[in-house]
Amino acid sequence: MELFSKQDPAVRQSLNAHINQRWGQLYELEKEWGERALRYLLLTNSGGAIATLGFLGGSPTAINMLGAKISLFLFVLGVFLVGVSTAKTFHHMSHLFKTWKADVDHYYSDKITWEYLQEEDTKRAVEDFWDYAIPYASFGCFIAGSVSGAISLFV
């Protein structure tokens, strides 16, 4: 198959439509699974905290179990980290929207070129280390809280 720039205009238009459809599909999948992951982390850490609180409140000797207290702390920290991740993502998306809107206004008023508009948008739309570290830290809290709780039952 020929390079994109060498294609017949009708073929290019058809390929471009397919590319745009696929980008939209992949974007929606990424967004959906990101939301599912955060809901899962919130649910599991909240459930762990509730179960641990129930255990601590239901047993007179449980309050002296250090492992159960550590478990509760880790589950609550996991819930907190889900909130931090959600807030960070919201603010990042809000910044992308606001700067895109301002740049489009500048483009329409002939202050910047189309190429500059695209370059700036690409620069802003990057992920950073914290986009992954915070949710994985929340998942780590769930695992560590579960292990700590389980160990405290048998020690």
Side-chain angles (χ1 to χ4, degrees), residues 96 100 103 116-126:
L96 288 177
W100 172 256
D103 281 353
Y116 182 81
L117 174 76
Q118 295 301 308
E119 288 169 11
E120 290 302 302
D121 190 48
T122 300
K123 286 179 193 175
R124 285 188 295 264
V126 296

Side-chain angles (χ1 to χ4, degrees), residues 2-154:
E2 295 177 38
L3 296 174
F4 183 75
S5 63
K6 306 281 186 194
Q7 296 282 339
D8 177 74
V11 173
R12 271 197 312 224
Q13 186 176 6
S14 173
L15 293 174
N16 202 32
H18 176 75
I19 288 168
N20 288 331
Q21 178 203 11
R22 183 66 175 152
W23 273 346
Q25 180 186 38
L26 292 174
Y27 167 76
E28 288 301 321
L29 284 170
E30 181 182 39
K31 185 174 95 171
E32 176 186 346
W33 281 96
E35 290 171 357
R36 281 186 183 193
L38 286 177
R39 272 185 275 162
Y40 170 80
L41 291 171
L42 182 63
L43 180 66
T44 55
N45 279 300
S46 296
I50 292 167
T52 304
L53 280 171
F55 175 71
L56 288 170
S59 171
T61 58
I63 201 69
N64 296 323
M65 297 174 82
L66 180 61
K69 292 177 187 177
I70 291 171
S71 232
L72 179 60
F73 171 76
L74 289 167
F75 291 137
V76 170
L77 179 60
V79 170
F80 173 76
L81 290 172
V82 168
V84 169
S85 182
T86 302
K88 182 187 179 314
T89 301
F90 167 76
H91 287 287
H92 180 69
M93 295 304 137
S94 177
H95 173 72
L96 288 177
F97 175 69
K98 288 174 185 170
T99 53
W100 172 256
K101 184 180 176 308
D103 281 353
V104 167
D105 289 343
H106 287 130
Y107 173 69
Y108 285 151
S109 61
D110 292 330
K111 293 179 183 173
I112 61 172
T113 65
W114 176 256
E115 291 77 19
Y116 182 81
L117 174 76
Q118 295 301 308
E119 288 169 11
E120 290 302 302
D121 190 48
T122 300
K123 286 179 193 175
R124 285 188 295 264
V126 296
E127 298 170 332
D128 67 7
F129 169 78
W130 299 109
D131 292 330
Y132 294 96
I134 296 170
Y136 276 106
S138 177
F139 186 59
C141 285
F142 173 71
I143 292 172
S146 298
V147 169
S148 175
I151 289 172
S152 72
L153 291 175
F154 300 109

